[in-house]
């Protein structure tokens, strides 16, 4: 046995088969503990012995495989990653050694090992050559695992072991004795083998479809196997790119009429649920069957139920054409097919609704009263203008419009602000919250402020008790280990205050007037300015937690948005006066920025008789007025050209909003607040700072206009370039306090044209929040959208998607009010051809029809509607003009 261990340590793999074969099975098992111990030793070797590691690991792999007598244990040893990484992953000498020590085992045992190795998804590709040889020795069925099938496909395509790499795919498949077993498995894996799509020319001899169809012609593979396999795999669905192989293979097989008929149910299922391209191909197959008289009316109606429900207009339009042809061939089929046509009544595209209604009117006969009644009930899904036409065609089943109630605007309810907890957290609750937030990442405003106030309160009451409770809860933090105190700039967030309580931060760094944490970093970025304010507040709180001078914080919000009620601040200042406590400068400054501007509370603030009371009274009357905004269109700098974000930004026309100087910040606020009051345009340079929105957004919770002006460049990048994520902050911005003026409306208008759907949806949320709170100026928003359309910042097709989403909530009148002001930019001469203009007009027409809005319509509508032709733009312009002309002036009630 020592000879085997010596050979393993020397990395002499070639000696091991002969030495191991001399041992009995009990002797082999007895050697396993020593081999296992050596394996652990080798695993712990450092890089200095890396060269030695490879040979020893390869020898260990062969020795352990020969000494294990159980199939499961042998497979686990062979498939281990630490031993596989020791030598060449596909080296023939490695497989030769393994086959030599395993070759004397029973065939059933070898087959068991092979199947277990094939079931190890991580290593099956590396061990494919060994598995293939073991299957040959055992003469057992091939494994059916996805990993083995993928490895076999790659081996066939690229000529792996034992074939030469220059062999062709077609040759490899013919020479493989197990090809008939393996080919059907290509259609059963969860994901298609990657090699199936690597050949891009379907006519190439080594393209998989070409090679497989050749096997069918030669009788090696049954044709039914490929046909049924492709159809079954396409029915399962998946990513369009992953289905390409099966689609091409079906095309190469050129199915016969009998094969097409046999899979009628499968084609119908594909038209309902498959990706658009595949559904279109299945639709063409069924159309051919229908024209050949091979598709009964009942099956065509079943197919239509799925297709007409799809959003793709091209598929729906083609299906209506197919139904029209079938009705012309067999008028008696109308009792089955016309109810199927009515399924298009619920489609969002009113042009398709009109086409379906026209098809019914063309084929409905005077005596079809029962059918007419059935169709009349489905007509309730039509848009209002088409429902009126349906009543004339179908009778009263479509609804009685004379008795319809006036339109009521239904808006989603406005978000409800939540009060901060009325009582202070207990010591145990505070410690638990601080410990949780130190590990969970970005907290909410409620969590952050509750924890911060709790630390200050309990440090004032009994710092020793607080430290005793905090120490075990934060024992795993890096700054809590060792005897050396950390610098304040090295500890972030609430942990700075907790570290100060525990004495783990230098008190020198916390003294008033010291450099704020994070000062000097990202100061040209608004996120960095907000970060400096938050850091300065935390540093001040940490200082007072050590000294115990503050009984509580003044700036703790009243609401979860970060806003503070002025009367609560007055009460806190009064309590400070009774206790003889001077307000902390940063804490009081933050309280002013959070206080809701209510002039009615100014008298109570002045009655305090303190300087802070006078400042509060001035702030909520005059000094706290939001800054003036300067808006202009920035012309591009044509001297800068390029494709990276910065230069694209510089060479783009866009709207810029600049905040004016606020001298009050420079005169009365601490230094870290000064940059909040300086003019800022948001230069749009790419910022890699990921802000803590909970803490940073709560710095100015009562000044939405300033925050919107700062956010505008990021939202513009989301609309005009490839930015992402700013929309989420836009939806939260709408819930804050302060005026919702031009900057907020401009930011929302820009977000409605964002490139990515999630950002557009967030802008829709922001618009609906403003509307529900009665703060939305639809005329102003429409003007902003129009200007952004002219500049090219917002694309019509993206705006149409956002407008359709707003309208779908029931806010048809609100949507039309915005579009009424935006459409002139598209209807102007030369602008009508913009992509998506027709879609936008369709949404506008739908809103007018449903809300009953009237009026002259946007400027330029009559000119576009009077053009010749039947393009979508002209058709929808005519529809909008007709809807406005037919609408009666009605009062619109807002229900929120």
């Amino acid at each position: 046995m020592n000879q085997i261990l010596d050979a393993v340590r020397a990395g002499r793999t070639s000696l091991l088969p002969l030495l191991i074969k001399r041992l009995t099975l009990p002797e082999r098992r007895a050697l396993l503990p020593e081999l296992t111990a050596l394996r652990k030793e080798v695993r712990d070797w450092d890089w200095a012995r890396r060269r030695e590691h490879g040979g020893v690991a390869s020898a260990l792999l062969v020795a352990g495989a020969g000494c294990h007598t159980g199939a499961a244990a042998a497979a686990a040893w062979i498939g281990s990653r630490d031993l596989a990484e020791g030598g060449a992953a596909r080296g023939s000498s490695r497989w030769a050694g393994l086959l030599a020590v395993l070759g004397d085992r029973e065939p059933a045992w070898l087959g068991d090992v092979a199947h277990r190795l094939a079931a190890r998804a991580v290593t099956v590709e590396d061990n494919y050559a060994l598995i293939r040889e073991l299957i040959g020795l055992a003469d057992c069925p091939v494994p059916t695992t996805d990993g083995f099938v993928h490895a076999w496909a790659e081996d066939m395509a690229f000529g792996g072991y034992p074939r030469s790499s220059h062999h062709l795919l077609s040759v490899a498949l013919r020479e493989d004795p197990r090809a008939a077993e393996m080919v059907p498995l290509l259609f059963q894996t969860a994901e298609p083998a990657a090699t199936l799509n690597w050949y891009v020319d379907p006519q190439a001899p080594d393209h998989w479809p070409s090679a497989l169809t050749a096997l069918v012609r030669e009788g090696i593979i049954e044709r039914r196997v490929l046909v049924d396999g492709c159809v079954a795999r396409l029915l399962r669905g998946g990513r369009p790119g992953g289905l390409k192989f099966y689609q091409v293979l079906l095309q190469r097989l050129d199915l016969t009429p009998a094969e097409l008929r046999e899979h009628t149910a499968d084609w119908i299922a594909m038209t309902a649920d498959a990706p658009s391209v595949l559904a279109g191909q299945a639709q063409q197959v069924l159309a051919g069957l229908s024209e050949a008289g091979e598709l009964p009316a009942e099956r065509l109606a079943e197919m239509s139920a799925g297709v007409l429900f799809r959003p793709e207009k091209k598929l729906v339009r083609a299906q209506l054409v197919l139904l029209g042809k079938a009705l012309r061939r067999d008028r008696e089929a109308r009792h089955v097919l016309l109810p199927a046509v009515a399924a298009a009544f619920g489609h969002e595209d009113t042009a398709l609704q009109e086409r379906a209604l026209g098809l019914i009117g063309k084929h409905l006969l005077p005596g079809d009263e029962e059918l007419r009644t059935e169709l009349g009930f489905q007509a309730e899904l039509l848009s209002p203008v088409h429902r009126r036409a349906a009543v004339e065609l179908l009778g009263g089943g479509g609804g009685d419009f004379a008795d319809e109630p006036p339109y009521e605007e239904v808006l989603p309810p406005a978000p409800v602000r939540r009060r901060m907890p009325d009582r202070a957290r207990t010591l145990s609750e505070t410690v638990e919250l601080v410990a949780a937030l130190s590990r969970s990442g970005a907290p909410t405003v409620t969590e952050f402020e509750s924890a911060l106030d709790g630390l200050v309160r309990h440090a004032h009451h009994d710092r020793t008790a607080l430290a005793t409770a905090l120490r075990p809860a934060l024992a795993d933090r890096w700054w809590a280990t060792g005897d050396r105190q950390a610098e304040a700039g090295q500890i972030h967030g609430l942990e700075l205050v907790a570290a100060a309580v525990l004495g783990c931060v230098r008190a020198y760094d916390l003294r008033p007037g010291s450099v704020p944490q994070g000062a000097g970093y990202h100061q040209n970025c608004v996120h960095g300015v907000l970060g400096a304010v938050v850091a300065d507040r935390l540093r001040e709180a940490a200082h007072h937690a050590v000294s115990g001078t503050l009984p509580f914080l003044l700036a703790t919000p009243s609401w979860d948005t970060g806003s503070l009620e002025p009367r609560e601040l007055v009460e806190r200042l009064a309590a400070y006066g009774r206790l003889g406590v001077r307000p902390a400068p940063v804490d009081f400054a933050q309280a002013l920025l959070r206080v809701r501007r209510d002039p009615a509370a100014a008298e109570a603030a002045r009655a305090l008789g303190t300087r802070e009371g006078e400042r509060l009274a001035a702030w909520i009357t005059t000094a706290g007025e939001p800054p003036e905004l300067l808006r202009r269109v920035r012309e591009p700098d044509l001297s800068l050209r390029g494709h990276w974000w910065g230069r694209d930004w510089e060479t783009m026309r866009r709207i810029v909003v600049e905040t004016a100087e606020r001298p009050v910040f420079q005169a009365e606020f601490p230094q870290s607040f000064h940059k909040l009051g300086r003019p800022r345009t948001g230069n749009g340079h790419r910022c890699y700072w990921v802000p803590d929105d909970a803490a940073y957004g709560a710095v100015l919770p009562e000044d939405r206009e300033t925050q919107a002006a700062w956010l505008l460049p990021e939202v513009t990048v989301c609309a005009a370039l490839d930015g992402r994520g700013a929309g989420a902050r836009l939806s939260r911005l709408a819930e804050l306090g302060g005026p919702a003026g031009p900057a907020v409306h401009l930011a929302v208008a820009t977000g409605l044209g964002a490139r990515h759907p999630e950002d557009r949806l967030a802008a829709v949320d922001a618009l609906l929040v403003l509307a529900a709170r009665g703060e939305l100026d639809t005329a102003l928003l429409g003007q902003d959208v129009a200007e952004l359309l002219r500049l090219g910042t917002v694309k019509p097709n993206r705006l149409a998607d956002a407008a359709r989403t707003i309208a779908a909530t029931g806010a048809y009148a609100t949507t039309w009010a915005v579009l009424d002001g935006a459409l002139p930019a598209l209807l102007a001469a030369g602008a009508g051809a913009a992509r998506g203009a027709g879609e936008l007009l369709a949404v506008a027409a739908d809103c007018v029809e449903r809300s009953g809005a009237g009026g002259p319509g946007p400027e330029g509508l009559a000119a576009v509607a009077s053009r010749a032709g039947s393009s979508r733009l002209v058709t929808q312009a005519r529809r909008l003009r007709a809807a406005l002309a037919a609408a009666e002036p009605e009062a619109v009630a807002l229900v929120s």
Side-chain angles (χ1 to χ4, degrees):
M1 294 186 187
N2 290 335
Q3 289 180 319
I4 294 177
L5 290 175
D6 292 342
V8 171
R9 287 188 175 275
R12 305 184 65 181
T13 306
S14 59
L15 297 179
L16 292 174
L18 180 61
L19 295 175
I20 292 175
K21 284 186 177 181
R22 297 174 181 174
L23 304 179
T24 64
L25 292 182
E27 289 175 332
R28 295 184 186 188
R29 284 194 294 266
L31 191 59
L32 284 174
E34 296 180 74
L35 292 174
T36 303
L38 178 58
R39 177 183 175 183
K40 184 179 183 304
E41 177 187 335
V42 172
R43 188 186 297 135
D44 295 336
W45 283 355
D46 57 22
W47 282 96
R49 304 185 67 178
R50 194 63 187 173
R51 180 174 299 187
E52 183 184 359
H53 177 276
V56 177
S58 294
L60 263 175
L61 178 66
V62 173
C67 291
H68 277 96
T69 56
W77 185 277
I78 296 171
S80 59
R81 296 303 299 266
D82 60 320
L83 296 179
E85 292 171 356
R90 296 173 180 266
S92 58
S93 61
R94 177 187 179 205
W95 304 136
L98 286 170
L99 291 171
V101 297
L102 298 176
D104 60 347
R105 303 298 180 90
E106 294 291 330
W109 188 91
L110 293 175
D112 192 5
V113 171
H115 279 260
R116 290 179 182 274
L117 287 173
R120 300 174 68 90
V122 177
T123 57
V124 61
E125 184 177 348
D126 292 341
N127 293 323
Y128 168 75
L130 174 64
I131 298 170
R132 183 185 179 99
E133 294 300 322
L134 291 177
I135 292 171
L137 293 174
D139 193 22
C140 64
V142 295
T144 60
T145 63
D146 288 7
F148 183 79
V149 175
H150 290 185
W152 175 82
E154 183 177 348
D155 180 55
M156 290 296 102
F158 296 103
Y161 177 86
R163 297 183 294 104
S164 171
S165 61
H166 65 270
H167 281 189
L168 299 177
L169 170 63
S170 55
V171 175
L173 288 172
R174 290 190 188 93
E175 293 179 350
D176 190 341
R178 297 187 180 272
E181 295 180 75
M182 294 301 302
V183 167
L185 299 178
L186 293 173
F187 306 96
Q188 299 175 16
T189 56
E191 293 291 335
T195 58
L196 297 180
N197 288 320
W198 282 357
Y199 293 95
V200 296
D201 182 7
Q203 305 300 326
D206 266 10
H207 188 269
W208 272 94
S210 300
L212 292 177
T213 51
L215 294 182
V216 171
R217 290 193 299 268
E218 297 169 15
I220 299 175
I221 301 295
E222 291 187 24
R223 178 182 175 89
R224 174 176 289 275
V225 169
L226 299 186
V227 174
D228 292 350
C230 284
V231 173
R233 189 60 186 79
L234 292 174
L235 274 175
R236 285 170 51 189
R239 293 172 294 182
L243 301 178
K244 180 180 178 181
F245 159 72
Y246 308 103
Q247 294 174 259
V248 173
L249 180 54
L250 278 181
Q251 293 174 1
R252 294 301 306 275
L253 289 170
D254 191 18
L255 301 191
T256 64
E259 289 172 328
L260 293 173
R261 285 195 307 273
E262 183 180 353
H263 291 282
T264 297
D266 300 321
W267 310 130
I268 292 175
M270 289 182 203
T271 59
D273 300 320
S276 184
V277 174
L278 178 56
Q281 293 176 353
Q283 187 183 46
Q284 292 175 7
V285 171
L286 292 168
L289 292 175
S290 177
E291 292 182 4
E294 301 288 348
L295 189 66
E298 291 76 11
R299 303 309 298 271
L300 179 57
E302 178 188 352
M303 169 195 178
S304 301
V307 177
L308 297 179
F309 189 74
R310 296 182 66 116
E312 297 96 332
K313 299 168 189 174
K314 182 179 180 180
L315 293 178
V316 176
R317 193 178 300 112
Q319 190 65 23
L320 292 175
V321 171
L322 178 58
L323 286 166
K325 291 180 179 179
L327 286 166
R328 286 195 297 272
R329 286 194 303 268
D330 183 7
R331 293 186 68 84
E332 294 303 318
R334 66 185 183 280
H335 296 282
V336 176
L337 297 182
L338 288 183
V341 172
F345 286 174
H347 199 277
E348 65 180 18
D349 189 339
T350 55
L352 294 175
Q353 295 180 11
E354 183 177 0
R355 177 173 292 199
L357 188 60
L359 189 60
I360 289 176
K362 184 176 181 180
H363 293 280
L364 195 64
L365 298 181
D368 295 334
E369 295 304 326
E370 184 177 346
L371 179 58
R372 196 180 303 272
T373 302
E374 179 183 354
L375 296 173
F377 288 114
Q378 296 189 59
E380 295 180 359
L381 300 173
L382 290 165
S383 64
V385 65
H386 292 133
R387 285 209 304 273
R388 293 185 176 92
V391 169
E392 298 176 1
L393 174 65
L394 304 173
D400 186 358
F401 287 88
D403 298 331
E404 280 194 1
Y407 170 76
E408 291 187 357
E409 181 86 331
V410 179
L411 296 173
V416 178
R417 296 188 303 174
R418 292 182 295 275
R419 292 281 305 191
M420 291 280 289
D422 293 332
R423 65 174 183 85
R425 291 179 180 268
T426 64
L427 177 61
S428 60
E429 290 173 342
T430 299
V431 171
E432 181 180 359
L433 180 59
V434 171
L437 296 181
S438 68
R439 296 170 177 83
S440 65
T444 64
V445 172
T446 299
E447 292 171 337
F448 180 85
E449 296 294 340
S450 294
L452 182 60
D453 185 63
L455 287 171
V456 172
R457 285 178 183 270
H458 292 292
H460 172 77
H461 178 70
D462 189 343
R463 179 189 167 192
T464 302
L466 176 60
T468 302
L470 278 175
R471 187 165 285 107
L474 301 175
D476 61 337
R477 311 310 293 168
W478 66 268
W479 45 262
T481 59
D483 299 330
R484 184 179 177 182
Q485 290 182 316
E487 297 179 12
Q490 297 175 323
I491 308 176
H492 304 281
L494 290 167
E495 290 189 31
L496 176 63
V497 184
V501 171
L502 294 174
C504 296
V505 64
R506 299 187 310 189
Y508 176 83
D509 294 343
L510 303 176
R511 74 193 191 285
S514 62
V515 178
Q517 176 187 356
Y521 297 96
H522 306 284
Q523 289 299 294
N524 290 326
C525 168
V526 66
H527 305 140
V529 174
L530 295 172
V533 172
V534 174
D536 202 17
R537 183 173 176 232
L538 287 167
R539 183 187 56 80
E540 183 186 76
H543 169 74
H544 287 287
V546 173
S547 63
T549 52
L550 292 182
F552 53 83
L553 294 176
L554 296 174
T556 302
S558 306
W559 304 97
D560 62 347
T561 59
S563 296
L564 173 60
E565 288 297 318
R567 296 193 181 278
E568 290 187 29
L569 181 55
V570 170
E571 293 173 1
R572 293 174 189 176
L573 288 172
Y576 266 37
R578 291 191 297 270
L579 296 173
V581 177
R582 292 289 302 170
V586 177
D587 183 38
F588 180 65
Q590 177 62 91
L592 288 181
L593 295 184
R594 286 180 172 172
V595 72
R596 184 173 60 84
R597 297 185 66 253
D598 181 7
E603 185 177 350
R606 294 191 186 94
L608 294 173
T610 62
R611 182 173 180 273
E612 287 76 16
E614 292 295 332
R615 286 186 61 191
L616 174 58
W619 183 264
I620 60 180
T621 51
T622 57
E625 286 283 350
E628 294 183 2
L629 302 177
L630 175 63
R631 168 175 165 164
R632 68 179 188 276
V633 175
R634 184 192 185 283
E635 297 298 332
D637 185 350
L638 299 180
S639 65
L640 298 174
R641 299 187 183 277
H643 299 290
W644 56 280
W645 187 349
R647 290 181 182 175
D648 282 347
W649 176 259
E650 292 298 333
T651 57
M652 182 179 70
R653 295 184 72 207
R654 64 184 188 275
I655 299 177
V656 174
V657 174
E658 179 179 348
T659 57
E661 178 81 31
R662 301 184 73 181
V664 66
F665 277 87
Q666 321 302 325
E668 300 182 10
F669 281 72
Q671 182 180 357
S672 58
F673 289 75
H674 289 180
K675 287 192 174 183
L676 291 177
R678 291 176 183 167
R680 182 174 296 276
T681 61
N683 52 25
H685 292 318
R686 192 168 189 175
C687 176
Y688 295 93
W689 184 298
V690 181
D692 177 353
D693 285 322
Y696 294 7
V699 172
L700 292 169
E702 287 294 316
D703 192 354
R704 280 185 293 187
E705 281 291 274
T706 296
Q707 291 205 50
W710 291 345
L711 183 60
L712 180 62
E714 296 180 54
V715 181
T716 303
V717 168
C718 289
L721 301 178
D722 196 23
R724 196 171 201 153
R729 294 165 58 198
L730 183 62
S731 63
R732 289 193 291 272
L733 178 66
E735 300 179 16
L736 299 181
V744 171
H745 283 72
L746 178 59
V748 171
T750 307
L752 293 175
R755 176 173 183 174
H756 297 286
E758 62 271 21
D759 288 319
R760 291 199 298 272
L761 185 59
V764 168
D765 288 340
L767 183 150
L768 292 173
V769 168
L770 295 175
R773 293 170 61 167
E775 298 172 333
L776 182 65
D777 186 337
T778 54
L780 176 60
L781 186 63
Q783 293 170 9
D784 287 340
V785 172
E787 186 171 7
L788 292 167
L789 286 169
R790 293 189 188 98
L791 292 174
T793 304
V794 168
K795 307 297 188 293
N797 57 325
R798 298 174 186 170
L799 179 61
D801 177 73
R804 188 180 297 109
T805 304
I806 300 168
T809 66
Y812 294 104
T814 299
T815 307
W816 164 244
V818 174
L819 294 182
D820 189 20
L823 286 176
L826 287 181
L827 298 172
R835 180 184 175 190
E839 289 292 325
L840 199 58
L841 281 172
V843 177
D846 189 48
C847 291
V848 170
E849 292 167 355
R850 293 180 182 274
S851 65
E859 183 181 354
L861 177 63
V864 175
S866 300
R867 294 179 188 174
S870 59
S871 66
R872 183 164 180 79
L873 176 68
V874 174
T875 301
Q876 295 302 323
R878 293 169 183 164
R879 176 189 164 200
L880 176 58
R881 182 179 62 177
L884 288 168
E888 298 179 1
E890 296 177 352
V892 176
L894 296 180
V895 180
S896 61

